[in-house]
Amino acid sequence: MLASERSRGSTAVKARPAAGGAAYGIAAWGAYAAVEVAVSTLRPILTRQYDLVDPSHWRFLGILLAMYLGLGALFGALSGRVAARLAARKPRSPRLWMELTGPAAALSLVTFYFANLLAGYDRADAADHVALAVALALFVLLSMRLIFPARSGWAAVASDPWLLACVLLGAPLLARSAGVRSIIGMAAGIAAAGYLSRRFLSPRRGGFDPPVRQLAAVGVALIVVLTGLSLSTRDQAPLPDPGGAPATLQAVPNVVLIVMDTVRADHTSLHDYSRDTTPKLREFAKEAVVYKRAMAPANYTLPSHASIFTGLYPRGHGAINLPPGQEFSLPLPRERQTLAETLREAGYASLAVTANIVFVRPDYGFAQGFHVFDYRQLAPCLPRGDFYLRRLMRRAMDQLLWTHEFDRTTRDAAAITTDALRLVEEMNRRRQPFFLFVNFMDAHEPYTPPAPFNLTYPGRNRRMIYSQYVEMSREVVSQQRSVSEAERAHYVSQYDGAIRYMDVQIARLLDRLRQLQLYDNSLIIVTSDHGEAFGERNFVSHAQTLYQHQLFVPLVIKYPRQREAKSDNRLVSLVDLMPTALAAAGLTPPQGLHGRNLLEADTVSRVIFAEAYPDGGLSASRPTYPARQNAVFQDNLKLISFADGALELYDLGSDPLEQRDLGSRASAAAGLRRELDHWLESVPMSAQPSRKDLDPQTLERLKALGYIR
């Protein structure tokens, strides 16, 4: 019996360090989690850098917090056992292990932070230098506390959970802060956190006191942060206030413009793609006009959308990239008359719901003329910056779960459609004619269609995450290698799945228009702003070339009262959308537009143009590539003119993939070159002052969507 009691006593003694250590571990890792979520997500939402936390973000936060707390409990328990072993070397201090358990648990957090930082260390990043120095100092302090407990009581301050979390997260952020006020404020916050934690949350002196108050503080902090996230997000955009617009204009058609960002025409069912990615649009086309040869005037969002809204080519409206070495892009000038402004002046309520929050936003000039411009944006699950442990957690998630949805930084098609329908239903209630512009971003990298669309087409590889795409893109564009078959199969499967997802949501929008009896008397335009490359000519993504994979876009237009299918094989451009929409609405287009009214027949062979103004990233990745380009189309012929004087000529009728350069056909190339030279002379480049340096939030968005590597 005595032996049994001794055994139970021994077990209890062994269990107490593990249980106490688990409690200290949860306190340390949980405090870090609460501060990290507050800094990475709640703070940007409160300062209106971001607006929304969507269901995928809540799932991510749930998994992230569970991992932090679980790892805290696990490594805290191990730390308790280590502390007990270290204390056993000091038999005259039987309760020393209790004093060492907290530092041991804190050391587990610092060790993981330190190791993860080293794994992705950037020698050119000053914040990484600061973070490494701080982590190393904390590691030394906590190690001294464990190894020399009698002579390092002063080092115990480093084990305070809240001070530790604030220092680990705040130090690199301080290194990035340029303003004196932000530095002073963050330093004061770290000091206040340490004082309050030591003053009110430290264990009582004497005796074994698990960090009950610290655990309670972690729980309260997480509840406060998550509640703050829920309450501070803007779930709905304001309803429109059309001001003095007429109450009803029954004879005037509504205008609905839907842009599927980044969708190339040859990946849609409308153009005989091998996969039926757009069956709903195929049905819609039975009472619409399918334009079989529609070209984008540019190869990325900013100039192409500006051309859609103004009827001008990029050199005419001026919303373009600047030459390499200068600031990133110029906005649409205020003096340009837009489609929204013209329709608003005619009594329309002008409404926009856009997922593209990088370029299609007010500071790039796209809100002019709109009563409502809803460009709310998601807080990123994985913000770029100094959240080193979150990187580790993400890598762990990647081994166990399908985590691609956590890379999405824009509202998905379902959310965009819901917000658009809310505005439509309000307009229907008011009997107010409206212009509705909708932008979907689901086919843009990082290609994150929701289930089941992520499994609709074969080729998906769960191991290929967005960080690998970014690295692959850099290597391919710089011609270090080509896209592998497995990579292409995966990214195309997700891209096509995203197109299928948008197709369903567009059908949902059109069905609701029918239910509200708004469909028949509406002009409905469905198109894209540019295409996408998946390794063609060793290019990935867009904003790089003027080949067809980046210019050939779908275009379907249902005119008011149209009920029969038509196919139009004319060469058309997105600059034609503004004059066509205004003509269908019974309005006279402004003078000087480059586009044509597609309701009118062409009397001569049409010539259209496209332009490329790539950013400095392409020049840096492929310095010998002549990034500045122009293209001219006439009949089936296409000529690409490069900045270095090179010319490439293709017959798209017989060679739609542009595999045979017909440079030997000198007469055809010379004729198109004359057309291009005449156009360049007759359409002067829009003059604008240099744009100021981009703010950090805009740079963050550009990086998140791959425009800056």
Short mmCIF file of all heavy atoms in Angstrom, two decimals, residues 326-383:
data_model
loop_
_atom_site.label_atom_id
_atom_site.label_comp_id
_atom_site.label_asym_id
_atom_site.label_seq_id
_atom_site.Cartn_x
_atom_site.Cartn_y
_atom_site.Cartn_z
N GLN A 326 9.73 54.33 -63.10
CA GLN A 326 8.89 55.38 -62.54
C GLN A 326 7.78 54.76 -61.70
O GLN A 326 7.71 53.54 -61.53
CB GLN A 326 8.30 56.22 -63.68
CG GLN A 326 9.37 56.92 -64.52
CD GLN A 326 8.75 57.88 -65.52
OE1 GLN A 326 7.82 58.61 -65.21
NE2 GLN A 326 9.27 57.88 -66.72
N GLU A 327 6.88 55.60 -61.18
CA GLU A 327 5.80 55.09 -60.36
C GLU A 327 4.94 54.15 -61.19
O GLU A 327 4.99 54.14 -62.41
CB GLU A 327 4.97 56.25 -59.80
CG GLU A 327 5.73 57.12 -58.81
CD GLU A 327 6.59 58.17 -59.47
OE1 GLU A 327 6.65 58.19 -60.71
OE2 GLU A 327 7.21 58.95 -58.75
N PHE A 328 4.05 53.40 -60.51
CA PHE A 328 3.44 52.26 -61.18
C PHE A 328 2.47 52.62 -62.29
O PHE A 328 2.63 52.22 -63.42
CB PHE A 328 2.73 51.39 -60.13
CG PHE A 328 2.23 50.10 -60.70
CD1 PHE A 328 3.10 49.09 -61.03
CD2 PHE A 328 0.88 49.93 -60.96
CE1 PHE A 328 2.65 47.91 -61.57
CE2 PHE A 328 0.42 48.75 -61.51
CZ PHE A 328 1.29 47.73 -61.81
N SER A 329 1.42 53.38 -62.02
CA SER A 329 0.38 53.60 -63.02
C SER A 329 -0.24 54.97 -62.87
O SER A 329 -0.22 55.57 -61.78
CB SER A 329 -0.72 52.53 -62.92
OG SER A 329 -0.23 51.25 -63.21
N LEU A 330 -0.85 55.43 -63.95
CA LEU A 330 -1.58 56.70 -63.95
C LEU A 330 -3.07 56.43 -63.90
O LEU A 330 -3.56 55.50 -64.54
CB LEU A 330 -1.24 57.51 -65.21
CG LEU A 330 0.20 58.00 -65.32
CD1 LEU A 330 0.45 58.58 -66.71
CD2 LEU A 330 0.49 59.05 -64.26
N PRO A 331 -3.84 57.25 -63.20
CA PRO A 331 -5.29 57.05 -63.14
C PRO A 331 -5.99 57.60 -64.37
O PRO A 331 -5.39 58.32 -65.19
CB PRO A 331 -5.67 57.85 -61.89
CG PRO A 331 -4.69 58.98 -61.87
CD PRO A 331 -3.39 58.38 -62.37
N LEU A 332 -7.25 57.28 -64.50
CA LEU A 332 -8.08 57.85 -65.55
C LEU A 332 -8.30 59.33 -65.24
O LEU A 332 -8.78 59.68 -64.16
CB LEU A 332 -9.43 57.12 -65.60
CG LEU A 332 -10.43 57.61 -66.65
CD1 LEU A 332 -9.89 57.35 -68.06
CD2 LEU A 332 -11.77 56.92 -66.45
N PRO A 333 -7.94 60.23 -66.15
CA PRO A 333 -8.09 61.66 -65.87
C PRO A 333 -9.55 62.05 -65.63
O PRO A 333 -10.46 61.51 -66.25
CB PRO A 333 -7.55 62.33 -67.14
CG PRO A 333 -6.67 61.31 -67.78
CD PRO A 333 -7.30 60.00 -67.45
N ARG A 334 -9.72 63.02 -64.75
CA ARG A 334 -11.07 63.45 -64.39
C ARG A 334 -11.81 64.04 -65.57
O ARG A 334 -13.05 63.95 -65.63
CB ARG A 334 -10.98 64.49 -63.24
CG ARG A 334 -12.34 64.93 -62.71
CD ARG A 334 -13.04 63.76 -62.03
NE ARG A 334 -14.41 64.07 -61.64
CZ ARG A 334 -15.47 63.96 -62.44
NH1 ARG A 334 -15.30 63.54 -63.69
NH2 ARG A 334 -16.67 64.23 -62.01
N GLU A 335 -11.11 64.65 -66.50
CA GLU A 335 -11.79 65.30 -67.62
C GLU A 335 -12.31 64.33 -68.67
O GLU A 335 -13.05 64.73 -69.57
CB GLU A 335 -10.87 66.32 -68.29
CG GLU A 335 -9.59 65.74 -68.85
CD GLU A 335 -8.43 65.76 -67.87
OE1 GLU A 335 -8.70 65.86 -66.65
OE2 GLU A 335 -7.27 65.68 -68.31
N ARG A 336 -11.96 63.05 -68.58
CA ARG A 336 -12.49 62.07 -69.53
C ARG A 336 -13.96 61.79 -69.22
O ARG A 336 -14.32 61.47 -68.09
CB ARG A 336 -11.69 60.77 -69.47
CG ARG A 336 -10.23 60.93 -69.86
CD ARG A 336 -10.07 61.19 -71.35
NE ARG A 336 -8.65 61.37 -71.68
CZ ARG A 336 -8.04 62.54 -71.79
NH1 ARG A 336 -8.74 63.66 -71.62
NH2 ARG A 336 -6.77 62.62 -72.09
N GLN A 337 -14.83 61.89 -70.23
CA GLN A 337 -16.25 61.61 -70.06
C GLN A 337 -16.44 60.09 -70.06
O GLN A 337 -16.02 59.40 -70.99
CB GLN A 337 -17.05 62.24 -71.20
CG GLN A 337 -18.55 61.99 -71.14
CD GLN A 337 -19.27 62.89 -70.16
OE1 GLN A 337 -18.64 63.77 -69.56
NE2 GLN A 337 -20.56 62.70 -69.99
N THR A 338 -17.09 59.56 -69.03
CA THR A 338 -17.27 58.11 -68.92
C THR A 338 -18.70 57.71 -69.23
O THR A 338 -19.63 58.53 -69.23
CB THR A 338 -16.91 57.62 -67.51
OG1 THR A 338 -17.87 58.14 -66.58
CG2 THR A 338 -15.51 58.05 -67.10
N LEU A 339 -18.87 56.42 -69.45
CA LEU A 339 -20.20 55.87 -69.69
C LEU A 339 -21.12 56.13 -68.51
O LEU A 339 -22.29 56.50 -68.69
CB LEU A 339 -20.08 54.36 -69.95
CG LEU A 339 -21.38 53.59 -70.16
CD1 LEU A 339 -22.16 54.11 -71.36
CD2 LEU A 339 -21.07 52.09 -70.33
N ALA A 340 -20.61 55.98 -67.30
CA ALA A 340 -21.43 56.21 -66.10
C ALA A 340 -21.88 57.66 -66.01
O ALA A 340 -23.04 57.95 -65.67
CB ALA A 340 -20.65 55.81 -64.85
N GLU A 341 -20.99 58.59 -66.32
CA GLU A 341 -21.34 60.00 -66.27
C GLU A 341 -22.42 60.35 -67.30
O GLU A 341 -23.38 61.09 -67.01
CB GLU A 341 -20.10 60.86 -66.51
CG GLU A 341 -19.13 60.87 -65.35
CD GLU A 341 -17.86 61.62 -65.68
OE1 GLU A 341 -17.22 61.31 -66.70
OE2 GLU A 341 -17.51 62.54 -64.91
N THR A 342 -22.27 59.81 -68.50
CA THR A 342 -23.23 60.12 -69.56
C THR A 342 -24.61 59.57 -69.21
O THR A 342 -25.63 60.25 -69.40
CB THR A 342 -22.74 59.54 -70.89
OG1 THR A 342 -21.41 60.00 -71.15
CG2 THR A 342 -23.64 59.97 -72.03
N LEU A 343 -24.67 58.34 -68.72
CA LEU A 343 -25.96 57.75 -68.36
C LEU A 343 -26.56 58.44 -67.14
O LEU A 343 -27.79 58.64 -67.05
CB LEU A 343 -25.79 56.26 -68.11
CG LEU A 343 -25.48 55.41 -69.36
CD1 LEU A 343 -25.14 53.98 -68.96
CD2 LEU A 343 -26.66 55.43 -70.33
N ARG A 344 -25.73 58.83 -66.21
CA ARG A 344 -26.23 59.55 -65.04
C ARG A 344 -26.88 60.87 -65.45
O ARG A 344 -27.94 61.24 -64.94
CB ARG A 344 -25.08 59.80 -64.06
CG ARG A 344 -25.47 60.60 -62.83
CD ARG A 344 -24.33 60.64 -61.84
NE ARG A 344 -24.68 61.41 -60.64
CZ ARG A 344 -24.09 61.28 -59.47
NH1 ARG A 344 -23.11 60.40 -59.32
NH2 ARG A 344 -24.46 62.00 -58.43
N GLU A 345 -26.23 61.58 -66.37
CA GLU A 345 -26.79 62.85 -66.84
C GLU A 345 -28.12 62.64 -67.55
O GLU A 345 -28.95 63.56 -67.59
CB GLU A 345 -25.79 63.53 -67.77
CG GLU A 345 -24.53 64.02 -67.06
CD GLU A 345 -23.44 64.43 -68.03
OE1 GLU A 345 -23.68 64.33 -69.26
OE2 GLU A 345 -22.36 64.85 -67.57
N ALA A 346 -28.34 61.43 -68.09
CA ALA A 346 -29.59 61.13 -68.79
C ALA A 346 -30.67 60.62 -67.84
O ALA A 346 -31.76 60.24 -68.30
CB ALA A 346 -29.33 60.11 -69.89
N GLY A 347 -30.40 60.58 -66.54
CA GLY A 347 -31.41 60.18 -65.57
C GLY A 347 -31.27 58.78 -65.02
O GLY A 347 -32.14 58.32 -64.28
N TYR A 348 -30.20 58.08 -65.36
CA TYR A 348 -29.97 56.74 -64.84
C TYR A 348 -29.36 56.80 -63.44
O TYR A 348 -28.58 57.71 -63.12
CB TYR A 348 -29.01 55.97 -65.74
CG TYR A 348 -29.61 55.41 -67.00
CD1 TYR A 348 -29.86 56.24 -68.09
CD2 TYR A 348 -29.89 54.06 -67.12
CE1 TYR A 348 -30.39 55.73 -69.27
CE2 TYR A 348 -30.43 53.54 -68.29
CZ TYR A 348 -30.67 54.38 -69.37
OH TYR A 348 -31.20 53.88 -70.52
N ALA A 349 -29.69 55.81 -62.62
CA ALA A 349 -28.94 55.55 -61.40
C ALA A 349 -27.74 54.70 -61.80
O ALA A 349 -27.90 53.62 -62.38
CB ALA A 349 -29.78 54.83 -60.37
N SER A 350 -26.53 55.18 -61.54
CA SER A 350 -25.31 54.48 -61.95
C SER A 350 -24.74 53.72 -60.75
O SER A 350 -24.40 54.33 -59.73
CB SER A 350 -24.28 55.49 -62.49
OG SER A 350 -24.75 56.08 -63.67
N LEU A 351 -24.61 52.41 -60.89
CA LEU A 351 -24.26 51.53 -59.78
C LEU A 351 -23.10 50.64 -60.18
O LEU A 351 -23.08 50.09 -61.29
CB LEU A 351 -25.47 50.65 -59.39
CG LEU A 351 -26.84 51.34 -59.37
CD1 LEU A 351 -27.94 50.31 -59.28
CD2 LEU A 351 -26.91 52.33 -58.21
N ALA A 352 -22.14 50.47 -59.30
CA ALA A 352 -20.99 49.61 -59.57
C ALA A 352 -20.72 48.71 -58.38
O ALA A 352 -20.74 49.16 -57.23
CB ALA A 352 -19.75 50.44 -59.89
N VAL A 353 -20.47 47.43 -58.67
CA VAL A 353 -20.03 46.47 -57.65
C VAL A 353 -18.82 45.76 -58.24
O VAL A 353 -18.94 45.02 -59.21
CB VAL A 353 -21.13 45.45 -57.31
CG1 VAL A 353 -20.66 44.53 -56.18
CG2 VAL A 353 -22.42 46.16 -56.90
N THR A 354 -17.65 46.00 -57.68
CA THR A 354 -16.42 45.50 -58.29
C THR A 354 -15.60 44.68 -57.30
O THR A 354 -15.42 45.07 -56.15
CB THR A 354 -15.58 46.66 -58.86
OG1 THR A 354 -14.32 46.15 -59.31
CG2 THR A 354 -15.34 47.75 -57.82
N ALA A 355 -15.11 43.56 -57.80
CA ALA A 355 -14.21 42.73 -57.00
C ALA A 355 -12.76 43.17 -57.16
O ALA A 355 -11.94 42.93 -56.28
CB ALA A 355 -14.35 41.26 -57.38
N ASN A 356 -12.44 43.79 -58.28
CA ASN A 356 -11.06 44.22 -58.54
C ASN A 356 -10.78 45.49 -57.75
O ASN A 356 -11.17 46.59 -58.16
CB ASN A 356 -10.83 44.46 -60.03
CG ASN A 356 -9.36 44.65 -60.36
OD1 ASN A 356 -8.63 45.33 -59.65
ND2 ASN A 356 -8.92 44.03 -61.44
N ILE A 357 -10.13 45.33 -56.62
CA ILE A 357 -9.88 46.46 -55.74
C ILE A 357 -8.46 47.01 -55.91
O ILE A 357 -8.03 47.87 -55.15
CB ILE A 357 -10.13 46.08 -54.26
CG1 ILE A 357 -9.53 44.71 -53.90
CG2 ILE A 357 -11.62 46.06 -53.98
CD1 ILE A 357 -8.08 44.71 -53.63
N VAL A 358 -7.75 46.53 -56.92
CA VAL A 358 -6.42 47.07 -57.20
C VAL A 358 -6.52 48.28 -58.11
O VAL A 358 -6.00 49.36 -57.81
CB VAL A 358 -5.51 46.00 -57.83
CG1 VAL A 358 -4.18 46.61 -58.24
CG2 VAL A 358 -5.28 44.88 -56.85
N PHE A 359 -7.23 48.13 -59.23
CA PHE A 359 -7.32 49.22 -60.20
C PHE A 359 -8.72 49.81 -60.33
O PHE A 359 -8.86 51.01 -60.56
CB PHE A 359 -6.86 48.71 -61.58
CG PHE A 359 -5.39 48.42 -61.65
CD1 PHE A 359 -4.94 47.15 -61.94
CD2 PHE A 359 -4.46 49.41 -61.41
CE1 PHE A 359 -3.58 46.86 -62.02
CE2 PHE A 359 -3.10 49.14 -61.48
CZ PHE A 359 -2.66 47.86 -61.78
N VAL A 360 -9.75 48.97 -60.26
CA VAL A 360 -11.11 49.47 -60.48
C VAL A 360 -11.61 50.05 -59.16
O VAL A 360 -12.43 49.45 -58.44
CB VAL A 360 -12.03 48.36 -61.01
CG1 VAL A 360 -13.38 48.95 -61.42
CG2 VAL A 360 -11.39 47.67 -62.20
N ARG A 361 -11.14 51.23 -58.84
CA ARG A 361 -11.39 51.87 -57.56
C ARG A 361 -11.36 53.39 -57.75
O ARG A 361 -10.85 53.90 -58.75
CB ARG A 361 -10.39 51.40 -56.52
CG ARG A 361 -8.96 51.49 -56.94
CD ARG A 361 -7.99 50.90 -55.94
NE ARG A 361 -7.97 51.65 -54.70
CZ ARG A 361 -8.36 51.15 -53.53
NH1 ARG A 361 -8.79 49.91 -53.45
NH2 ARG A 361 -8.32 51.89 -52.44
N PRO A 362 -11.86 54.14 -56.78
CA PRO A 362 -11.97 55.60 -56.96
C PRO A 362 -10.65 56.30 -57.23
O PRO A 362 -10.60 57.22 -58.04
CB PRO A 362 -12.60 56.05 -55.63
CG PRO A 362 -13.39 54.88 -55.17
CD PRO A 362 -12.58 53.68 -55.58
N ASP A 363 -9.56 55.89 -56.55
CA ASP A 363 -8.32 56.63 -56.72
C ASP A 363 -7.68 56.40 -58.08
O ASP A 363 -6.70 57.07 -58.43
CB ASP A 363 -7.32 56.35 -55.59
CG ASP A 363 -7.16 54.88 -55.29
OD1 ASP A 363 -7.98 54.09 -55.78
OD2 ASP A 363 -6.25 54.51 -54.55
N TYR A 364 -8.20 55.48 -58.88
CA TYR A 364 -7.80 55.35 -60.27
C TYR A 364 -8.82 55.95 -61.22
O TYR A 364 -8.76 55.73 -62.43
CB TYR A 364 -7.52 53.89 -60.63
CG TYR A 364 -6.12 53.46 -60.26
CD1 TYR A 364 -5.88 52.66 -59.15
CD2 TYR A 364 -5.03 53.86 -61.02
CE1 TYR A 364 -4.59 52.29 -58.80
CE2 TYR A 364 -3.74 53.48 -60.69
CZ TYR A 364 -3.53 52.70 -59.57
OH TYR A 364 -2.25 52.33 -59.24
N GLY A 365 -9.79 56.68 -60.69
CA GLY A 365 -10.71 57.45 -61.51
C GLY A 365 -11.95 56.73 -61.96
O GLY A 365 -12.74 57.29 -62.73
N PHE A 366 -12.19 55.52 -61.50
CA PHE A 366 -13.31 54.75 -62.03
C PHE A 366 -14.65 55.03 -61.34
O PHE A 366 -15.69 54.60 -61.83
CB PHE A 366 -13.00 53.25 -61.95
CG PHE A 366 -11.99 52.81 -62.96
CD1 PHE A 366 -10.69 52.51 -62.59
CD2 PHE A 366 -12.31 52.74 -64.30
CE1 PHE A 366 -9.75 52.13 -63.52
CE2 PHE A 366 -11.38 52.36 -65.25
CZ PHE A 366 -10.08 52.06 -64.86
N ALA A 367 -14.64 55.73 -60.23
CA ALA A 367 -15.90 56.01 -59.54
C ALA A 367 -16.63 57.21 -60.13
O ALA A 367 -17.80 57.44 -59.78
CB ALA A 367 -15.64 56.24 -58.05
N GLN A 368 -15.98 57.97 -61.02
CA GLN A 368 -16.63 59.17 -61.51
C GLN A 368 -17.90 58.81 -62.30
O GLN A 368 -17.90 57.96 -63.18
CB GLN A 368 -15.67 59.99 -62.36
CG GLN A 368 -15.06 59.30 -63.56
CD GLN A 368 -13.90 60.09 -64.14
OE1 GLN A 368 -12.90 60.34 -63.47
NE2 GLN A 368 -14.04 60.51 -65.39
N GLY A 369 -18.99 59.47 -61.90
CA GLY A 369 -20.28 59.24 -62.54
C GLY A 369 -21.17 58.24 -61.84
O GLY A 369 -22.35 58.13 -62.17
N PHE A 370 -20.66 57.52 -60.84
CA PHE A 370 -21.46 56.50 -60.17
C PHE A 370 -22.11 57.06 -58.90
O PHE A 370 -21.47 57.76 -58.12
CB PHE A 370 -20.60 55.30 -59.80
CG PHE A 370 -20.29 54.40 -60.96
CD1 PHE A 370 -19.06 54.47 -61.60
CD2 PHE A 370 -21.22 53.49 -61.42
CE1 PHE A 370 -18.77 53.66 -62.68
CE2 PHE A 370 -20.95 52.66 -62.50
CZ PHE A 370 -19.72 52.75 -63.13
N HIS A 371 -23.40 56.74 -58.71
CA HIS A 371 -24.06 57.05 -57.44
C HIS A 371 -23.55 56.13 -56.34
O HIS A 371 -23.37 56.56 -55.19
CB HIS A 371 -25.58 56.88 -57.57
CG HIS A 371 -26.24 57.87 -58.48
ND1 HIS A 371 -26.55 57.59 -59.79
CD2 HIS A 371 -26.62 59.16 -58.26
CE1 HIS A 371 -27.12 58.65 -60.35
NE2 HIS A 371 -27.17 59.61 -59.44
N VAL A 372 -23.37 54.86 -56.67
CA VAL A 372 -22.82 53.88 -55.73
C VAL A 372 -21.64 53.19 -56.40
O VAL A 372 -21.76 52.70 -57.53
CB VAL A 372 -23.87 52.83 -55.32
CG1 VAL A 372 -23.22 51.70 -54.53
CG2 VAL A 372 -24.99 53.46 -54.51
N PHE A 373 -20.51 53.20 -55.72
CA PHE A 373 -19.34 52.49 -56.22
C PHE A 373 -18.85 51.59 -55.10
O PHE A 373 -18.11 52.01 -54.21
CB PHE A 373 -18.24 53.47 -56.65
CG PHE A 373 -17.18 52.84 -57.50
CD1 PHE A 373 -17.33 52.76 -58.87
CD2 PHE A 373 -16.03 52.31 -56.94
CE1 PHE A 373 -16.37 52.17 -59.67
CE2 PHE A 373 -15.06 51.72 -57.71
CZ PHE A 373 -15.22 51.65 -59.08
N ASP A 374 -19.28 50.35 -55.13
CA ASP A 374 -19.02 49.38 -54.05
C ASP A 374 -17.75 48.61 -54.39
O ASP A 374 -17.76 47.69 -55.20
CB ASP A 374 -20.22 48.44 -53.92
CG ASP A 374 -20.02 47.38 -52.84
OD1 ASP A 374 -18.99 47.43 -52.14
OD2 ASP A 374 -20.90 46.51 -52.69
N TYR A 375 -16.65 49.00 -53.76
CA TYR A 375 -15.37 48.31 -53.99
C TYR A 375 -14.82 47.78 -52.66
O TYR A 375 -13.60 47.69 -52.47
CB TYR A 375 -14.37 49.22 -54.68
CG TYR A 375 -13.86 50.38 -53.85
CD1 TYR A 375 -12.57 50.39 -53.36
CD2 TYR A 375 -14.68 51.47 -53.56
CE1 TYR A 375 -12.09 51.45 -52.60
CE2 TYR A 375 -14.21 52.53 -52.81
CZ TYR A 375 -12.92 52.52 -52.34
OH TYR A 375 -12.46 53.56 -51.58
N ARG A 376 -15.70 47.39 -51.77
CA ARG A 376 -15.25 46.85 -50.48
C ARG A 376 -14.32 45.66 -50.71
O ARG A 376 -14.50 44.88 -51.62
CB ARG A 376 -16.46 46.44 -49.65
CG ARG A 376 -17.29 47.61 -49.13
CD ARG A 376 -18.60 47.14 -48.52
NE ARG A 376 -19.42 46.49 -49.52
CZ ARG A 376 -20.24 45.47 -49.27
NH1 ARG A 376 -20.31 44.97 -48.05
NH2 ARG A 376 -20.97 44.95 -50.22
N GLN A 377 -13.36 45.53 -49.82
CA GLN A 377 -12.32 44.53 -50.01
C GLN A 377 -12.13 43.69 -48.76
O GLN A 377 -12.39 44.12 -47.64
CB GLN A 377 -11.01 45.20 -50.39
CG GLN A 377 -10.57 46.27 -49.41
CD GLN A 377 -9.40 47.06 -49.91
OE1 GLN A 377 -8.35 46.51 -50.23
NE2 GLN A 377 -9.57 48.37 -49.98
N LEU A 378 -11.67 42.48 -49.01
CA LEU A 378 -11.43 41.54 -47.91
C LEU A 378 -10.13 41.85 -47.19
O LEU A 378 -9.14 42.24 -47.82
CB LEU A 378 -11.36 40.11 -48.44
CG LEU A 378 -12.60 39.51 -49.09
CD1 LEU A 378 -12.29 38.09 -49.54
CD2 LEU A 378 -13.77 39.54 -48.15
N ALA A 379 -10.14 41.66 -45.90
CA ALA A 379 -8.88 41.62 -45.16
C ALA A 379 -8.17 40.32 -45.53
O ALA A 379 -8.78 39.25 -45.50
CB ALA A 379 -9.14 41.68 -43.66
N PRO A 380 -6.91 40.35 -45.91
CA PRO A 380 -6.23 39.12 -46.34
C PRO A 380 -6.00 38.16 -45.18
O PRO A 380 -5.70 38.57 -44.06
CB PRO A 380 -4.90 39.63 -46.90
CG PRO A 380 -4.68 40.94 -46.22
CD PRO A 380 -6.04 41.53 -46.00
N CYS A 381 -6.18 36.89 -45.47
CA CYS A 381 -5.87 35.87 -44.45
C CYS A 381 -4.37 35.85 -44.15
O CYS A 381 -3.97 35.61 -43.02
CB CYS A 381 -6.31 34.49 -44.93
SG CYS A 381 -8.08 34.24 -45.00
N LEU A 382 -3.59 36.05 -45.18
CA LEU A 382 -2.13 35.99 -45.03
C LEU A 382 -1.54 37.31 -45.50
O LEU A 382 -0.99 37.41 -46.60
CB LEU A 382 -1.56 34.83 -45.85
CG LEU A 382 -2.01 33.45 -45.40
CD1 LEU A 382 -1.70 32.41 -46.46
CD2 LEU A 382 -1.36 33.08 -44.09
N PRO A 383 -1.66 38.35 -44.68
CA PRO A 383 -1.13 39.65 -45.10
C PRO A 383 0.37 39.59 -45.26
O PRO A 383 1.07 38.94 -44.50
CB PRO A 383 -1.54 40.58 -43.95
CG PRO A 383 -1.67 39.68 -42.77
CD PRO A 383 -2.19 38.38 -43.32
#
